[in-house]
């Protein structure tokens, strides 16, 4: 059983990291017009968002596979919902990279859904962990 859990954990890290590598390679090699400041900023946001998203997923998976409880280390020591936040950053970068400034409205509308999910999760975590979660919430952002 330990071998299976170790294999699954390694696979999770690979599955999480693979999209980052694919998107980075695709964006860096795609040649659609000149490299403007907006495109370059978009690529940086994509890489930053997906890289930190991957880190947050790995930290979450490591904690979840060892024991139940709040994840409060690593990225989670500063941000309560890093997966939602960094997905938002990566998508914003994609819109900039593709020069779809009209998509910013779509981005803002899409941002409402993770915000709503985060609030529901916070309610559930508050009910489950009580004071421990409230203290954690006071020292972290979103």
């Amino acid at each position: 059983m330990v071998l299976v859990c170790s294999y699954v954990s390694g696979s999770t890290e690979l599955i999480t990291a693979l999209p980052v590598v694919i998107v980075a390679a695709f964006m860096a090699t795609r040649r659609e017009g000149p490299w403007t400041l907006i495109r370059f900023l978009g690529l940086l946001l994509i890489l930053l968002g997906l890289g930190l998203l991957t880190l947050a997923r790995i930290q979450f998976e490591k904690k979840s596979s060892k024991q139940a409880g709040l994840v409060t280390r690593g990225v989670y020591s500063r941000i309560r919902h890093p997966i939602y936040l960094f997905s938002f950053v990566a998508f914003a970068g994609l819109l900039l990279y593709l020069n779809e400034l009209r998509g910013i409205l779509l981005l803002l509308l899409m941002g409402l859904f993770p915000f709503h999910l985060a609030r529901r999760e916070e309610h559930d975590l508050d009910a489950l962990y009580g004071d421990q979660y409230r203290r954690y919430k006071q020292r972290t952002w979103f």
Side-chain angles (χ1 to χ4, degrees):
M1 185 65 171
V2 172
L3 179 61
V4 171
C5 289
S6 174
Y7 174 75
V8 170
S9 176
S11 296
T12 300
E13 292 171 8
L14 177 65
I15 290 170
T16 303
L18 194 57
V20 175
V21 173
I22 291 171
V23 168
F26 175 73
M27 297 308 224
T29 60
R30 194 169 167 178
R31 302 285 182 222
E32 287 188 12
W35 277 96
T36 63
L37 181 60
I38 295 291
R39 278 187 78 201
F40 185 71
L41 178 63
L43 181 61
L44 287 177
L45 286 176
I46 291 168
L47 296 175
L48 179 69
L50 290 178
L52 290 170
L53 169 65
T54 300
L55 179 64
R57 290 273 320 231
I58 289 169
Q59 290 172 349
F60 183 82
E61 293 294 326
K62 282 184 178 178
K63 170 67 176 178
S64 298
S65 66
K66 290 181 182 176
Q67 62 186 14
L70 285 174
V71 181
T72 59
R73 293 183 174 234
V75 177
Y76 288 87
S77 68
R78 302 281 183 205
I79 303 169
R80 288 188 304 277
H81 306 284
I83 292 173
Y84 296 146
L85 177 64
F86 297 134
S87 296
F88 187 84
V89 168
F91 189 69
L94 179 63
L95 290 173
L96 288 175
Y97 179 84
L98 296 174
N99 200 24
E100 287 294 331
L101 301 178
R102 295 171 298 186
I104 299 298
L105 179 60
L106 174 64
L107 177 68
L108 293 175
L109 290 173
M110 288 179 57
L112 294 176
F113 182 68
F115 184 78
H116 175 71
L117 287 177
R119 295 298 170 225
R120 286 184 59 193
E121 287 176 10
E122 288 185 356
H123 182 280
D124 293 344
L125 290 168
D126 186 49
L128 188 61
Y129 294 105
D131 288 337
Q132 179 187 7
Y133 183 71
R134 286 187 283 279
R135 284 190 304 274
Y136 168 69
K137 192 173 173 181
Q138 286 177 344
R139 65 177 193 268
T140 56
W141 177 71
F142 181 70

